[in-house]
């Protein structure tokens, strides 16, 4: 392959991956505007995120199977076309459920873009240059989630929410043209002689139902809602049935036998925890800075940029460290420590924090995730045969997505409980017998009276303002607790690396495989 063709191919497939990654985070900043413009409740509008996540988590473990069934070139081109068309229809949607439906279709197309792009880039480079391929793909992967909130904030500042989706259309058409001209099928392909339809149905039912429960459980008061109870049962039966069936047949749709590798088993757990940290931090930080500290959406997005730039350098450094033979477990431990430092610093923020207070913690976050991205995938596939690597990587990627779903669901529930607890604790100290409380109410009431308010209304407004202040402080304390809780989870999981510390082969001069996040 000529250098020009290699550069064009790499740019094309990385653009596809970045486009999909942007759409995982860009929508979060636009929910309020979508809700108002489409005449929907914020709860209904949140299905725009849920539907995409459900489709993604179903498709990701199936990418290897579908690529083998259709041919990788056909599958990739079809996925780009489906993603682009669905983006267009999302932007043209006139009601919330039309948007949710096309967002689900967009997730089906997008689910293939990450893993398939990764494999195409990796296989296009000669063996001696695959560490470079890993670093290049990693730069694109890190750029996507970082651009998402920033681009979303900018779009909302200058135009309407529709363009959050419509911006994908011209990019998608260029990527589609490049894919048709440049992407080829691999020289060796796995033949699919029999389709595991039962496994496919069980996977869709089990993982799909689980994703809905995780995404909607907290908003629906968990098991106080009938459909959450029913879907929990479907998830349990579907997943257990899927595991039982896939271990029985000779040609499973997802080869769970790869989990016999201790390295993959440990890496999957650590990747799950990394997914919790990755997605909860992306979820918590914009909400904390915008709703509680009053930052504009664009400023919130820009907070992530310095950490992302440094993380890109850290990612390149990580690939070189692995090539130089630095042990994988050592790099993973350092990555966990960096992320725990981020959690500790965020957990000790105050309600008066300014933009400058966030840069250092977010740099620790970015570097920590950069140090975990390549090594965790290298650990996951280190004990697998070449034929098992695609299935192992796909399973590892699915664990990251599930970690994000479990993490956001758990954080939402945790926040609701902690807000109630902190409010109770704060209100307990606010009584008319407390001199500071009485003085504050008198001062505020006087200011309202000076502005022409009656004394009775001034007292009411003073109590209302006090209640709002208590609610805000309770929310701030709860978000800080959530950051610390995620850090504690990382601390609990980190010792698992000791189980495989002597079982990981040396990586000096070995090709590096990069994960999809």
């Amino acid at each position: 392959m000529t250098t020009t063709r290699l550069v064009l191919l790499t740019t094309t497939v990385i653009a596809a991956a970045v486009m999909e990654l942007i759409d995982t985070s860009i929508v979060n900043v636009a929910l309020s505007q979508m809700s108002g413009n489409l005449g929907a409740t914020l709860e209904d509008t949140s299905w725009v995120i849920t539907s995409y996540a459900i489709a993604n988590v179903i498709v990701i473990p199936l990418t290897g199977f579908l690529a083998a069934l259709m041919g990788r070139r056909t599958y990739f081109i079809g996925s780009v076309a489906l993603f682009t068309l669905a983006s267009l229809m999302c932007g043209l949607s006139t009601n919330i459920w039309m948007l949710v439906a096309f967002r689900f279709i967009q997730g089906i197309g997008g689910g293939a873009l990450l893993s398939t792009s990764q494999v195409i880039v990796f296989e296009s480079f000669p063996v001696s240059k695959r560490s470079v391929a890993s670093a290049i793909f990693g730069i694109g992967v890190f750029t996507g989630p970082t651009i998402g909130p920033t681009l979303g904030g900018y779009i909302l500042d200058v135009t309407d929410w529709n363009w959050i989706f419509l911006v994908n259309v011209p990019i998608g058409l260029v990527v589609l043209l490049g894919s048709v001209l440049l992407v080829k099928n691999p020289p060796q392909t796995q033949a699919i002689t029999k389709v595991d339809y039962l496994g496919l149905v069980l996977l869709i039912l089990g993982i799909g139902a689980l994703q809905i429960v995780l995404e909607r459980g907290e908003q629906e008061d968990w098991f106080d809602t009938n459909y959450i109870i029913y879907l929990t049962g479907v998830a349990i039966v579907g997943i257990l049935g899927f595991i039982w069936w896939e271990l029985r047949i000779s040609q499973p749709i997802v080869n769970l036998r790869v989990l016999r590798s201790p390295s993959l088993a440990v890496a999957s757990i650590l990747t799950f925890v990394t997914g919790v940290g990755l997605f909860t931090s992306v979820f918590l930080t914009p909400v904390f800075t915008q709703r509680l500290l009053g930052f504009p959406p664009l400023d919130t997005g820009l907070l992530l940029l310095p950490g992302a730039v440094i993380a890109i350098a850290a990612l390149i450094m990580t690939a070189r460290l692995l090539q130089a033979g630095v042990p994988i477990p050592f790099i993973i431990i350092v990555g966990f420590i960096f992320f725990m430092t981020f959690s500790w610093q965020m957990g000790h923020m105050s309600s008066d924090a300014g933009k400058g207070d966030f840069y250092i913690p977010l740099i620790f976050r970015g570097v920590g995730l950069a140090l975990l991205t390549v090594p965790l995938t290298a650990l996951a596939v280190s004990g697998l045969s070449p034929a098992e690597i695609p299935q192992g990587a796909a399973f590892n990627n699915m664990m990251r997505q599930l970690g994000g779903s479990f993490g956001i669901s758990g954080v939402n529930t945790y926040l609701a409980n902690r807000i109630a607890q902190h409010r109770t604790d704060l209100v307990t100290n606010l009584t008319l017998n407390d001199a500071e409380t009485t003085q504050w109410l008198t001062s505020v009431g006087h200011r309202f009276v000076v502005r022409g308010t009656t004394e009775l209304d001034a007292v009411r407004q003073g109590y209302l303002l006090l209640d709002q202040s208590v609610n805000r402080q309770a929310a701030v304390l709860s978000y800080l607790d959530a950051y610390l809780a995620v850090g504690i989870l990382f601390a609990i999981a980190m010792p698992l690396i000791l189980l495989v510390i002597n079982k990981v082969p040396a990586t000096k001069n070995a090709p590096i495989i990069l994960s999809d996040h």
Side-chain angles (χ1 to χ4, degrees), residues 96-420:
I96 187 60
W97 299 115
M98 179 180 176
L99 176 58
V100 169
F102 283 113
R103 181 73 168 155
F104 181 84
I105 296 172
Q106 187 190 40
I108 293 175
L113 299 184
L114 291 172
S115 297
T116 312
S117 295
Q118 172 190 347
V119 174
I120 292 172
V121 170
F122 189 74
E123 291 184 354
S124 299
F125 278 72
V127 174
S128 61
K129 297 292 185 182
R130 285 182 177 175
S131 60
V132 177
S134 300
I136 292 173
F137 192 84
I139 291 171
V141 164
F142 267 93
T143 302
T146 304
I147 289 177
T150 307
L151 181 60
Y154 177 74
I155 289 173
L156 292 181
D157 280 348
V158 299
T159 185
D160 296 324
W161 64 266
N162 310 71
W163 281 95
I164 281 178
F165 301 106
L166 295 177
V167 73
N168 289 328
V169 176
I171 300 172
L173 291 175
V174 173
V175 170
L176 182 62
L177 177 61
S179 301
V180 171
L181 296 175
L182 299 169
V183 175
K184 305 294 182 184
N185 277 318
Q188 295 180 344
T189 58
Q190 177 185 356
I192 301 294
T193 58
K194 183 179 180 181
V195 178
D196 176 19
Y197 289 109
L198 179 58
L200 178 62
V201 170
L202 290 172
L203 176 67
I204 292 173
L205 288 176
I207 297 298
L210 176 63
Q211 189 72 22
I212 295 174
V213 170
L214 293 173
E215 294 276 348
R216 307 297 301 176
E218 195 276 328
Q219 298 179 38
E220 301 287 358
D221 293 327
W222 292 104
F223 300 113
D224 290 338
T225 305
N226 285 334
Y227 88 85
I228 295 294
I229 296 174
Y230 298 146
L231 288 178
T232 301
V234 171
I236 293 172
V237 172
I239 291 172
L240 291 179
F242 174 75
I243 293 171
W244 172 77
W245 177 252
E246 296 300 283
L247 293 175
R248 284 185 73 249
I249 62 174
S250 58
Q251 293 186 9
I253 197 168
V254 177
N255 183 13
L256 298 178
R257 296 179 182 90
V258 295
L259 287 172
R260 289 176 298 189
S261 165
S263 298
L264 176 58
V266 170
S268 296
I269 297 172
L270 296 180
T271 298
F272 180 92
V273 173
T274 301
V276 172
L278 172 68
F279 287 99
T280 56
S281 58
V282 169
F283 167 75
L284 288 170
T285 303
V287 177
F288 179 59
T289 55
Q290 289 180 48
R291 294 187 183 178
L292 299 179
L293 302 185
F295 291 10
L298 182 58
D299 287 354
T300 299
L302 292 173
L303 287 178
L304 299 171
L305 285 179
V309 172
I310 296 176
I312 289 171
L315 182 69
I316 297 172
M317 180 190 70
T318 302
R320 290 181 177 176
L321 290 174
L322 289 171
Q323 289 290 94
V326 176
I328 291 174
F330 175 77
I331 300 176
I332 291 174
I333 289 171
V334 173
F336 266 69
I337 291 172
F338 266 75
F339 195 90
M340 287 187 289
T341 303
F342 155 76
S343 298
W344 174 262
Q345 291 179 329
M346 292 297 292
H348 289 82
M349 285 284 179
S350 73
S351 57
D352 299 322
K355 288 183 286 187
D357 297 313
F358 287 88
Y359 289 124
I360 297 301
L362 290 171
I363 286 172
F364 273 101
R365 171 192 175 271
V367 174
L369 293 174
L371 293 174
L372 293 172
T373 299
V374 179
L376 277 176
T377 302
L379 175 64
V381 302
S382 62
L384 303 179
S385 66
E388 293 174 329
I389 285 177
Q391 291 279 12
F395 184 84
N396 201 47
N397 294 339
M398 183 183 72
M399 291 300 290
R400 182 179 294 100
Q401 296 298 113
L402 287 177
S405 299
F406 272 93
I408 291 175
S409 175
V411 159
N412 272 325
T413 303
Y414 183 75
L415 284 173
N417 292 331
R418 294 303 295 165
I419 287 173

